[in-house]
Amino acid sequence: MVNVTINGITVSVPEGTTIKAAAAQAGIVIPTLCYLKDLNEIGACRVCCVEVEGERRMVTACNNPVREGMVVHTNSPRARETRRVNVELILSQHDCHCATCVRSGNCKLQELANDLGILVNPYEEDLPHGIHAMWTTTFPLYRDAKKCIKCMRCVQVCEKMQSLGIWELTGSGGRSTIDVSYNRRIKDADCALCGQCITHCPVGALRERDDVQRALDALADPDIVTVVQIAPAVRAAWGEAFGLAPEQATVARLTAALRRMGFDYIFDTTFSADLTIMEESAEFLERLKSGALRNGPMFTSCCPGWVRFLKSQYPDMTALLSSAKSPQQMFGATAKTWFAKKIGVDPKKLFCISIMPCLAKKSECDLSTMQNEDYGKDVDLVLTTREVDRMLRADQINVKNLPEEACDSPLGTGTGAGVIFGATGGVMEAALRTAYYMVTGENPPADAFRDVRGDKGWREADFDIAGTPIHVAVVSGLGNTRRLIEAMREKRVRYDFVEVMACPGGCAGGGGQPIHDGEELAYSRGSVLYGLDEVANLRFSHENPDVQALYREYLGQPLSELAETLLHTEHSG
Ligand code: HC0
Ligand code: SF4
């Protein structure tokens, strides 16, 4: 142990502890802009500089360890002055138009500048901001080079967490900036659109393409019938921006809010998550029976970030993907056929909007394989949770005082199995519950497959379904996914069924979810979803009455010809 005195408080910490962590133990906060635990501990922003007695230079607290007897001052005149000058230098290269910034009110830099009382910027300069200052406006991921503070978080998150290395530091000195690596344009790089670089950006340099106006245009068009679906993971996060507790921020309260905004039909993606389970479980059992699993496991196909990753990184393995479309797309295909017929509306007049915790869903809905001549696109527009939160604010909807209202029918009912899709492991668990039923004709205990839950990025479990052993894996985060695939390719592991989600912790931690700087909320949001499953009346996808009606009235059975046409795809587009 090492003894260190910080602002007059002596603490004893293990050797190797950083000054920042030791200060935290003493209850002292040292501000920083760039620090991310285990990912970015490089002292790039120099906001965490502290004064150490006996040292001539100021010392960055986030990446320097304490020494025995060290005496540290975080608020001495020199420390205060250094912090202020360093923030002013960062501001000198930052476009400080806060009123028009998407992160206004949720920006680390804005907060620090305010806290330090920086009311004028003495170092204002007009530096060039790199060749990509004018970014494409069509790609779902948008970057504003003039807002980048070169903290390196996006570089490290994409490289270390997601193993893709889309960003790099280019140029030098005052002209250094972050850009797409190897001089590529973002749309030609292998970006999976997971959005993790956005949720880890401390300022407004990265954001999603804003599609709100297109939703408002559809709402304003009297010839268009708007149909909105709410993804499983949105219910665990949409209320955070309004300070609502999870019990208040229910899907029923969001439904009421969307009704106030004028959406015609409000439905729930958990309905089509249950539908996906019917198709995917049937497909899994077919692959099991035919011996196809000897060539490799079946991969889940519902996370479009993962599908983009597989297509760009391991194109020879795409045949292992389930042919099932994602719940988002199955929802659209069902809305524009079965539902449109039910309400007697020309499907071309239906405008399907999804509320998703995800950026990759914005590109999934545009794929050529996700549309047809009869009705156009399955899903017309995707809004992230953040975009919808902004719409609610713009319309001054007082969400706290809204009553809870049920979704519309018949695409508004989901089971607990559909709800847990939004958490890592949930798709696997839901699929195994129904696969068991399909094989045995009886329900297993609802929690029979809970061994796939957990907070490890790569988990394995073994089950027995009517005498057949099944070896499954659940992985989240693309770095973990790459490790799993490499292990598969080197024959170090072998599975029957693998669930992959691009974002660590699954959709609950998706790149379109509300941002809380430096906090990872995927698993706490995931437990909200598991809690909803636990108290749900229905916990098996095959017991969803609306899904049963859809098969009875329209599709026939899972994997029928019509189901194949509407609900399955080649994953080649
Ligand atoms: Fe997900 Fe989905 S669970 S990908 O994470 O499968 O985005 O929430 O909507 O489609 O249902 C995201 C979340 C979905 C889909 C579902 C799946
Ligand atoms: Fe990398 Fe994901 Fe950001 Fe794309 S969206 S650059 S894959 S972190």
Side-chain angles (χ1 to χ4, degrees), residues 112-145:
L112 263 175
N114 262 275
D115 289 354
L116 295 173
I118 300 175
L119 304 177
V120 277
N121 182 358
Y123 302 107
E124 191 120 34
E125 284 181 48
D126 192 20
L127 288 172
H129 287 289
I131 46 169
H132 289 314
M134 295 301 290
W135 193 263
T136 166
T137 52
T138 50
F139 197 67
L141 176 79
Y142 186 88
R143 177 163 189 271
D144 185 345

Side-chain angles (χ1 to χ4, degrees), residues 139 141 153-159 161-167 180 186 189-200 206 305 308-309 359-360 478 502-503 511:
F139 197 67
L141 176 79
R153 281 188 181 180
C154 58
V155 175
Q156 306 266 35
V157 162
C158 193
E159 175 68 38
M161 183 195 277
Q162 299 299 64
S163 80
L164 280 166
I166 300 300
W167 306 112
V180 182
I186 186 70
D190 292 335
C191 171
L193 281 172
C194 66
Q196 290 300 312
C197 52
I198 298 179
T199 51
H200 289 84
L206 290 163
R308 284 174 70 87
F309 175 87
L359 263 77
L478 293 173
C503 295

Side-chain angles (χ1 to χ4, degrees), residues 229-235 269-274 276 280 300-304 325-330 355-359 361 364 418-423 427 501 506-508 510 513 529:
Q229 58 169 311
I230 304 169
V234 170
R235 71 208 61 210
T269 313
T270 55
F271 159 82
S272 48
D274 285 332
T276 302
E280 202 163 331
T300 57
S301 56
C302 43
C303 167
K325 285 183 185 174
S326 71
Q328 151 163 294
Q329 298 303 132
M330 285 201 187
I355 306 176
M356 294 279 145
C358 175
L359 263 77
K361 290 276 172 202
E364 182 186 39
V419 171
I420 57 174
F421 263 59
V427 179
M501 290 289 172
C507 292
Q513 294 280 58
L529 300 177

Side-chain angles (χ1 to χ4, degrees), residues 304-519:
W306 146 240
V307 173
R308 284 174 70 87
F309 175 87
L310 190 68
K311 281 185 189 171
S312 74
Q313 308 298 301
Y314 302 97
D316 58 309
M317 296 174 89
T318 51
L320 298 179
L321 284 166
S322 156
S323 68
K325 285 183 185 174
S326 71
Q328 151 163 294
Q329 298 303 132
M330 285 201 187
F331 177 94
T334 308
K336 292 203 178 176
T337 53
W338 186 53
F339 176 66
K341 248 189 225 136
K342 264 186 186 297
I343 59 168
V345 169
D346 174 0
K348 291 204 167 127
K349 291 198 167 162
L350 278 194
F351 193 77
C352 266
I353 300 176
S354 317
I355 306 176
M356 294 279 145
C358 175
L359 263 77
K361 290 276 172 202
K362 284 182 186 270
S363 95
E364 182 186 39
C365 82
D366 282 336
L367 289 172
S368 59
T369 45
M370 302 291 168
Q371 42 197 297
N372 69 34
E373 281 171 9
D374 296 336
Y375 59 70
K377 292 166 69 178
D378 294 340
V379 170
D380 296 284
L381 190 71
V382 174
L383 300 171
T384 61
T385 316
R386 290 192 295 271
E387 285 173 283
V388 169
D389 279 345
R390 288 202 289 277
M391 287 175 81
L392 295 172
R393 289 206 302 266
D395 277 9
Q396 301 291 327
I397 308 269
N398 188 351
V399 288
K400 282 190 182 135
N401 292 343
L402 285 179
E404 298 199 298
E405 291 179 9
C407 281
D408 290 295
S409 186
L411 313 185
T413 309
T415 68
V419 171
I420 57 174
F421 263 59
T424 168
V427 179
M428 177 63 71
E429 197 173 333
L432 293 173
R433 288 180 195 172
T434 288
Y436 184 98
Y437 173 82
M438 283 176 170
V439 172
T440 63
E442 280 173 24
N443 281 343
D447 289 323
F449 304 104
R450 64 174 301 142
D451 283 1
V452 297
R453 299 183 196 176
D455 56 10
K456 267 173 59 195
W458 173 2
R459 312 186 286 282
E460 299 179 345
D462 287 296
F463 300 108
D464 189 291
I465 295 189
T468 309
I470 311 260
H471 188 41
V472 306
V474 167
V475 67
S476 70
L478 293 173
N480 294 329
T481 303
R482 191 183 292 281
R483 280 188 281 284
L484 178 144
I485 292 190
E486 291 298 334
M488 266 177 61
R489 288 165 87 93
E490 288 163 16
K491 306 217 175 328
R492 285 184 279 124
V493 293
R494 197 208 71 80
Y495 302 112
D496 299 304
F497 198 177
V498 180
E499 178 203 293
V500 188
M501 290 289 172
C503 295
C507 292
Q513 294 280 58
I515 298 171
H516 305 269
D517 193 80
E519 280 183 75

